[in-house]
Amino acid sequence: MEYLDLYLIHWPMSLKPGPPTFPIRREDVVPMDSKGVWGAMEECQRLGLTRAIGVSNFTTNKLDELLQFADIPPAVNQVEMNPVWQQHKLKEYCAERGIHITAYSPLGGRGRVGNNTLMDCQVLKEIAAAKGKSLAQVSLRWLYEQGVSFVVKSFNKERLEENLEIFDWELTDDERLKISEIPQKKRIYAEAMLSNDGSLHAVAISDIDIVEI
Ligand SMILES: NC(=O)c1ccc[n+]([C@@H]2O[C@H](COP(=O)([O-])OP(=O)(O)OC[C@H]3O[C@@H](n4cnc5c(N)ncnc54)[C@H](OP(=O)(O)O)[C@@H]3O)[C@@H](O)[C@H]2O)c1
């Protein structure tokens, strides 16, 4: 490849240099030089190495901080978003500033955990049954109607096709209202990527993991 279309900062978090470990050792987490990192990202775009630059897992606080010194604002913020984690505050914030949202785990990231709040959601099950659609399609259609893009993942050919069949029908106002009332539950926290032992110093994960509804 000569260039990337889009290059993202994965998390607003930095680790000490060295081979990565997983789970991450708490003592390896260091304060992120946001200005320095974003400056280097901007340089990548100026050099033509990437067409656009963006961030991932950034809260409104983290975006506020970044926008204070950014010459090029982030084109995209890729975050967990689906009907059980609707990101109202972040969505509004990004829309006002022209930052596009890409939803990750649009189906609740079923592969990684045994249970899945989204796939088990009764409201979505009922809407799907009434419309003759799958629960996955209802979830993806809802995201599409929110004006965000999404990265849905499947290793199954039929499900890949199913996930594309969301463009020639729509949710009703009543269905949208029911979805807006679904209890909210976030799945992915930075804290969960850290080892249990050791101590965290110099950086507040709570600042990264702020829950914004
Ligand atoms: N930026 C970040 O920090 C971040 C964090 C997490 C994930 N991501 C990215 O987001 C993308 C997707 O995330 P994800 O894997 O967490 O979540 P996801 O796309 O919500 O869920 C994937 C799971 O859903 C299943 N699935 C797909 N289509 C389906 C359908 N129509 N009906 C039923 N099940 C279906 C898949 O199983 P089958 O394969 O068996 O179909 C797989 O187990 C990935 O590219 C990932 O790298 C980014």
Side-chain angles (χ1 to χ4, degrees):
M1 280 188 296
E2 290 175 4
Y3 65 87
L4 301 176
D5 292 318
L6 177 63
Y7 189 36
L8 305 179
I9 298 177
H10 194 176
W11 283 89
M13 181 165 88
S14 286
L15 304 178
K16 284 179 190 164
T21 59
F22 201 83
I24 296 164
R25 287 190 296 257
R26 283 172 188 264
E27 55 272 28
D28 287 351
V29 179
V30 294
M32 179 171 166
D33 170 14
S34 303
K35 197 171 178 186
V37 173
W38 192 249
M41 298 286 286
E42 291 176 328
E43 188 62 7
C44 288
Q45 182 167 330
R46 283 193 200 99
L47 291 170
L49 299 173
T50 182
R51 291 271 170 94
I53 50 176
V55 296
S56 180
N57 296 296
F58 271 49
T59 57
T60 56
N61 280 349
K62 287 286 160 189
L63 287 169
D64 270 344
E65 189 186 321
L66 184 72
L67 290 172
Q68 277 174 21
F69 49 72
D71 291 328
I72 305 174
V76 168
N77 187 15
Q78 185 183 122
V79 292
E80 179 179 351
M81 182 173 170
N82 56 50
V84 300
W85 191 243
Q86 301 187 9
Q87 296 274 26
H88 292 301
K89 185 180 173 196
L90 186 69
K91 192 165 92 68
E92 196 176 317
Y93 176 100
C94 287
E96 283 166 4
R97 289 157 183 82
I99 302 170
H100 177 79
I101 287 190
T102 297
Y104 75 66
S105 298
L107 302 180
R110 211 160 62 100
R112 296 177 192 210
V113 283
N115 63 338
N116 182 313
T117 313
L118 185 132
M119 285 292 181
D120 294 337
C121 174
Q122 198 54 35
V123 172
L124 295 177
K125 281 183 187 171
E126 283 165 16
I127 293 173
K131 292 189 97 64
K133 303 290 177 189
S134 69
L135 188 153
Q137 287 173 322
V138 169
S139 181
L140 298 178
R141 176 72 205 186
W142 178 83
L143 282 165
Y144 177 63
E145 291 185 7
Q146 299 301 303
V148 305
S149 54
F150 49 82
V151 279
V152 59
K153 186 171 75 179
S154 176
F155 292 105
N156 175 283
K157 187 168 178 287
E158 285 71 38
R159 285 196 283 279
L160 284 168
E161 284 168 359
E162 176 188 322
N163 294 345
L164 284 171
E165 287 163 12
I166 59 159
F167 299 110
D168 58 354
W169 55 276
E170 59 184 5
L171 297 166
T172 64
D173 285 344
D174 184 49
E175 289 162 346
R176 289 184 194 112
L177 179 66
K178 284 181 180 152
I179 291 175
S180 74
E181 291 166 347
I182 292 174
Q184 297 295 287
K185 189 166 179 221
K186 185 168 163 46
R187 186 179 70 100
I188 295 185
Y189 288 94
E191 175 74 36
M193 296 188 291
L194 305 182
S195 58
N196 289 330
D197 51 330
S199 60
L200 194 64
H201 55 85
V203 68
I205 287 291
S206 59
D207 186 30
I208 298 167
D209 273 345
I210 283 172
V211 170
E212 300 175 308
I213 292 191

